Amino acid sequence: MNCAITEQESLSPYLLLFKSLSFIPTSHSLIFFFLTIVLFLYYFLEIHFPRADPISLTFNPNSDFCQFIVSKCRLLHGRYFPTIWLSSPHLQTAFLSLFGNSPRFCYKRNLFQATDGGTIALDWLMHSDVVEGISQVVNGSTPGNDRTPIAIVVPGLTSDSSAAYIKHLAFRLAKEGWNVVVSNHRGLGGISLTSDCFYNAGWTEDLRKVIDHIHSQFPEAPLFAVGTSIGANVLVKYLGEEGPDTPLVGATAVCSPWDLLICDRFINRKLVQKLYDRVLTVGLQGYAQLHHSIISRIADWEGIKKSRSVREFDNYATRLVGKFETTDTYYRRSSSTQFVGNVAVPLLCISALDDPVCTREAIPWDECRGNKNIVLATTTHGGHLAYYEGVTATSMWWVRAVQEYFEVLLASPFAERTQKTQIVPEPLGSSIDQGPFVVDTGEDGMIAAASEVETTRADAQQENSTQIEKTSYHTHKESSPQGYNSLLGPLKRRVDQLSRNSRKSIWLLAYIAIVTTWPLLGPALLLSIRKRFRSLVGK
């Protein structure tokens, strides 16, 4: 047998490599290929094993409103089970964008003229339209029962009333007896820009005018509002600016970015997030192209065309139109997280911890807990505005949760919009000494508060019980001046608080004691055990 290597083979290392690979059994190659696909699905698409995870609730335990809402809303103390074949935040989000599975219907349109000449399309879906099967788009008045509750919907970035998630929400609410109006952003919904201004993430003036306009048309109708994505940021910012002066009875913020600066850094961190950033940028460029005649005059058109990220678009367009000094200034001033403490109407916030666009790192846990008007519901999975459930993916969990929350709130005593029943938010003080804080360190080195921080969990099996498990967080009560002069008093109070409010606190303290003393006591204990073992062996 001739084992000599020819001169051509010695000069072709790739040929030798291919020959070596040919000796690998086919079964081994298939296993390697399968493992590669599995790793890709797990790390890139974040495929997870479908399971029913409980909903985590964060709220002020001293708030009667929050206690009432949590006890009455079945979905909030239940579980969310995602569609089996959409067990990934990216698959959920992509399916929502590409397919949607939304119900088919048409709106009735009104055009609202702003004071600066801008035009806003108000698309109505009345309860009578769904019940009687009316399907037409008209310009004119919106007749209806003045006492019928109205839900005002604020879409997300570059979205309008035709978006799948908006149609899911509008149809369900209208079917359950509500009148729904979608307040499209300027330049969207097939309407041209009619002024030298377009919307941004912190522009609340249009929403303010629309709410006042609808309230003047239907003074007897209870008004509610739903904000989604950027629309949720605008809605929360509006609520914080208005305080108790808004005519809204209640509101819901779904998948809000909360802090635009944190979300901007998050969306540029990994490859999969950069894909979302690019898709959003293309959508913004398409929006600018639709209104080229105006935007090219008030913004940097060449910069808009060469933008490769949302940040670059905001730098060349949004920042200039909004007259912000820098892009970071625009993000900071437009973020709703700084307005959470001033919200004075009942507000339900829904966020997914695996949201690929609006990161969990931006969720204002402490601010939501400190406000007696806010209930924050977070889920382990759900994607961005998706939350599909069921085998056919025709239902969205957050849509059902919003409808149930509005129904409970409407039938509650907290729906009375008078100064006597309004809950004025208290100033949020420092909570550093109210631990223990749970900190989650991600793979990328970023540190964020974990979902278990200050949350209340209740499993589906506890739906028949009114007792809800709460964490050890309670509002900080001011101590007397004599207490501050004592060194042992505050420490004793903290230990008593941990022991009283958490069933796991004693074990936590024991764990901390063992971990902290082990470096000193461990070697001594091991040495003692060795001596006794040797003595036994010697005998």
Side-chain angles (χ1 to χ4, degrees):
M1 181 177 181
N2 186 9
C3 296
I5 300 177
T6 63
E7 181 178 358
Q8 182 180 3
E9 290 177 340
S10 63
L11 297 177
S12 304
Y14 293 106
L15 183 61
L16 293 176
L17 177 62
F18 290 142
K19 285 188 176 183
S20 300
L21 292 175
S22 65
F23 289 104
I24 299 178
T26 305
S27 58
H28 294 185
S29 300
L30 293 176
I31 292 175
F32 176 78
F33 177 76
F34 175 76
L35 292 177
T36 303
I37 296 298
V38 170
L39 291 175
F40 171 79
L41 295 176
Y42 182 77
Y43 287 103
F44 189 78
L45 295 182
E46 301 179 41
I47 298 289
H48 59 83
F49 185 79
R51 62 180 183 274
D53 292 318
I55 313 300
S56 297
L57 299 178
T58 301
F59 59 91
N60 193 315
N62 295 328
S63 171
D64 294 335
F65 158 72
C66 294
Q67 296 283 5
F68 177 85
I69 291 298
V70 170
S71 64
K72 295 295 183 180
C73 291
R74 179 182 58 85
L75 291 177
L76 291 185
H77 54 84
R79 291 171 176 263
Y80 166 62
F81 189 84
T83 300
I84 296 178
W85 46 277
L86 293 176
S87 298
S88 163
H90 308 297
L91 293 180
Q92 288 248 14
T93 307
F95 183 82
L96 173 63
S97 301
L98 299 177
F99 303 100
N101 274 359
S102 59
R104 296 183 178 182
F105 60 86
C106 290
Y107 300 95
K108 295 178 180 179
R109 168 159 293 183
N110 281 347
L111 297 181
F112 175 73
Q113 199 78 18
T115 55
D116 66 342
T119 304
I120 302 171
L122 300 180
D123 289 335
W124 289 83
L125 181 64
M126 315 298 284
H127 170 60
S128 58
D129 295 346
V130 176
V131 174
E132 299 173 8
I134 301 174
S135 178
Q136 58 182 345
V137 179
V138 296
N139 290 317
S141 61
T142 55
N145 192 336
D146 284 350
R147 295 184 181 273
T148 303
I150 299 175
I152 304 170
V153 183
V154 188
L157 188 68
T158 69
S159 295
D160 55 23
S161 58
S162 64
Y165 63 92
I166 297 294
K167 299 186 76 172
H168 272 282
L169 176 64
F171 185 80
R172 183 173 186 89
L173 288 176
K175 186 178 179 181
E176 296 298 327
W178 293 66
N179 291 336
V180 183
V181 53
V182 182
S183 178
N184 295 285
H185 299 293
R186 296 192 183 199
L188 291 173
I191 301 299
S192 301
L193 286 177
T194 56
S195 66
D196 291 349
C197 178
F198 62 85
Y199 75 102
N200 60 53
W203 180 255
T204 58
E205 191 61 27
D206 284 350
L207 179 60
R208 181 176 292 104
K209 296 299 183 183
V210 167
I211 291 176
D212 292 341
H213 167 70
I214 296 174
H215 182 56
S216 64
Q217 279 194 326
F218 304 92
E220 299 298 325
L223 295 185
F224 295 76
V226 184
T228 56
S229 193
I230 287 295
N233 186 82
V234 174
L235 176 60
V236 175
K237 185 172 181 287
Y238 159 79
L239 294 175
E241 292 173 346
E242 293 296 298
D245 297 330
T246 175
L248 293 178
V249 175
T252 305
V254 185
C255 294
S256 174
W258 297 110
D259 192 313
L260 302 179
L261 195 58
I262 292 179
C263 288
D264 171 64
R265 294 171 180 172
F266 169 77
I267 207 170
N268 288 283
R269 189 179 302 165
K270 297 180 179 179
L271 177 60
V272 64
Q273 267 74 43
K274 290 181 179 180
L275 294 177
Y276 287 102
D277 191 19
R278 183 58 183 151
V279 171
L280 291 174
T281 305
V282 172
L284 289 171
Q285 289 174 325
Y287 171 83
Q289 188 63 45
L290 287 175
H291 313 289
H292 172 269
S293 59
I294 293 181
I295 295 182
S296 61
R297 179 167 46 83
I298 61 179
D300 185 349
W301 185 254
E302 293 300 322
I304 292 175
K305 289 195 300 183
K306 67 179 183 181
S307 296
R308 292 296 178 267
S309 66
V310 174
R311 183 183 182 85
E312 291 183 0
F313 180 90
D314 288 337
N315 181 59
Y316 293 119
T318 313
R319 177 185 66 85
L320 298 178
V321 177
K323 296 180 174 57
F324 294 98
E325 295 85 355
T326 64
T327 306
D328 282 357
T329 302
Y330 158 59
Y331 288 156
R332 288 192 181 96
R333 293 182 182 176
S334 300
S335 296
S336 62
T337 184
Q338 59 188 320
F339 297 90
V340 172
N342 297 327
V343 174
V345 299
L347 173 64
L348 171 65
C349 305
I350 299 176
S351 293
L353 299 182
D354 66 349
D355 193 319
V357 178
C358 300
T359 173
R360 58 184 286 182
E361 299 167 16
I363 299 177
W365 304 94
D366 280 351
E367 289 82 351
C368 291
R369 175 182 56 85
N371 193 318
K372 292 185 178 181
N373 303 287
I374 297 178
V375 175
L376 170 64
T378 55
T379 59
T380 306
H381 304 290
H384 186 66
L385 295 173
Y387 284 99
Y388 279 105
E389 56 185 356
V391 178
T392 58
T394 55
S395 175
M396 305 175 76
W397 176 85
W398 73 265
V399 171
R400 295 197 299 123
V402 169
Q403 183 262 326
E404 181 189 49
Y405 166 71
F406 281 172
E407 294 286 353
V408 170
L409 181 58
L410 183 63
S412 72
F414 301 97
E416 182 66 28
R417 296 296 297 138
T418 63
Q419 190 65 28
K420 293 182 180 179
T421 58
Q422 284 182 3
I423 308 172
V424 180
E426 298 177 354
L428 180 63
S430 173
S431 59
I432 296 177
D433 59 343
Q434 296 185 34
F437 280 87
V438 182
V439 177
D440 177 35
T441 304
E443 297 178 357
D444 46 21
M446 296 297 294
I447 298 178
S451 61
E452 291 79 13
V453 176
E454 309 172 51
T455 60
T456 299
R457 286 183 177 272
D459 296 343
Q461 293 82 357
Q462 297 175 332
E463 292 178 1
N464 296 327
S465 174
T466 58
Q467 181 180 5
I468 301 175
E469 181 181 357
K470 302 182 185 134
T471 60
S472 61
Y473 284 107
H474 287 257
T475 53
H476 180 59
K477 297 182 180 179
E478 295 184 357
S479 302
S480 62
Q482 293 80 2
Y484 286 111
N485 296 329
S486 174
L487 295 177
L488 297 179
L491 178 61
K492 184 177 183 301
R493 282 194 298 272
R494 296 296 172 253
V495 174
D496 292 341
Q497 186 182 24
L498 286 173
S499 302
R500 182 173 61 256
N501 298 329
S502 177
R503 294 178 293 180
K504 300 180 180 179
S505 59
I506 298 300
W507 298 106
L508 177 63
L509 292 175
Y511 172 77
I512 294 175
I514 293 174
V515 171
T516 54
T517 58
W518 179 256
L520 297 177
L521 300 180
L525 181 62
L526 292 176
L527 182 61
S528 175
I529 294 175
R530 286 180 180 177
K531 287 183 179 180
R532 292 194 177 189
F533 180 75
R534 289 176 181 176
S535 63
L536 290 175
V537 173
K539 292 179 181 180

